[in-house]
Amino acid sequence: MARYLIALVMVFATMGGGSARAQGGGIEATVSGQIEAFRAGDFAAAFGYASPGIQGIFQTLENFGMMVRQGYGVLLNPADMQFLNAREEGGKLWQRVLYRDVHGEIHIFDYEMIKGPEGWKIGAVNRVEMPKPSA
């Protein structure tokens, strides 16, 4: 099983083009900054990394925090994170990030990154479904 997960991670790591560094480096700082804010329990700072569109959808820190706790709990305090590939798709820039939770389980998310006057913001976060190992 461990070999399967390592192979799977290597496949995800090599999929697609370029890295966030090739896109200006601010992408990694934005995603890492939000994760550090989550770790510190600073939802106001974490909300500041969200795009105006996301801020408009959730409107309040309470709504944003509830959404994160209910659907993205691993992001609150991951044991480890690794930036994988960045890619352009449909005119949008997506950054893939691998997280390992405190139990050693792997979670992969795609971040839609939006460049604005204040730098990179997070426009969406989508969980990437992991293929099930075959028997």
Side-chain angles (χ1 to χ4, degrees):
M1 181 67 161
R3 276 191 246 171
Y4 171 78
L5 285 176
I6 291 169
L8 183 62
V9 168
M10 295 308 292
V11 167
F12 276 119
T14 58
M15 287 176 61
S19 70
R21 286 182 202 93
Q23 301 296 330
I27 291 173
E28 287 186 13
T30 298
V31 174
S32 294
Q34 187 177 61
I35 296 302
E36 288 308 312
F38 285 144
R39 282 185 172 140
D42 187 348
F43 279 86
F47 198 45
Y49 288 99
S51 70
I54 293 298
Q55 291 178 358
I57 290 169
F58 292 101
Q59 298 185 351
T60 69
L61 291 176
E62 292 76 22
N63 291 339
F64 178 72
M66 185 170 49
M67 178 274 300
V68 173
R69 285 184 198 93
Q70 290 178 351
Y72 300 89
V74 68
L75 303 182
L76 295 174
N77 192 26
D80 190 32
M81 69 184 286
Q82 178 182 354
F83 289 89
L84 302 178
N85 63 304
R87 69 189 186 286
E88 189 175 330
E89 190 174 293
K92 296 179 179 182
L93 182 63
W94 294 89
Q95 173 65 55
R96 185 160 283 182
V97 183
L98 178 145
Y99 294 95
R100 187 173 46 83
D101 67 21
V102 295
H103 305 292
E105 292 184 44
I106 293 174
H107 307 265
I108 298 176
F109 293 90
D110 278 339
Y111 284 75
E112 178 191 5
M113 302 304 299
I114 298 172
K115 181 83 171 195
E118 297 177 9
W120 291 103
K121 297 288 186 175
I122 298 167
V125 180
N126 298 326
R127 185 179 303 271
V128 176
E129 291 301 320
M130 303 282 286
K132 303 291 182 203
S134 56

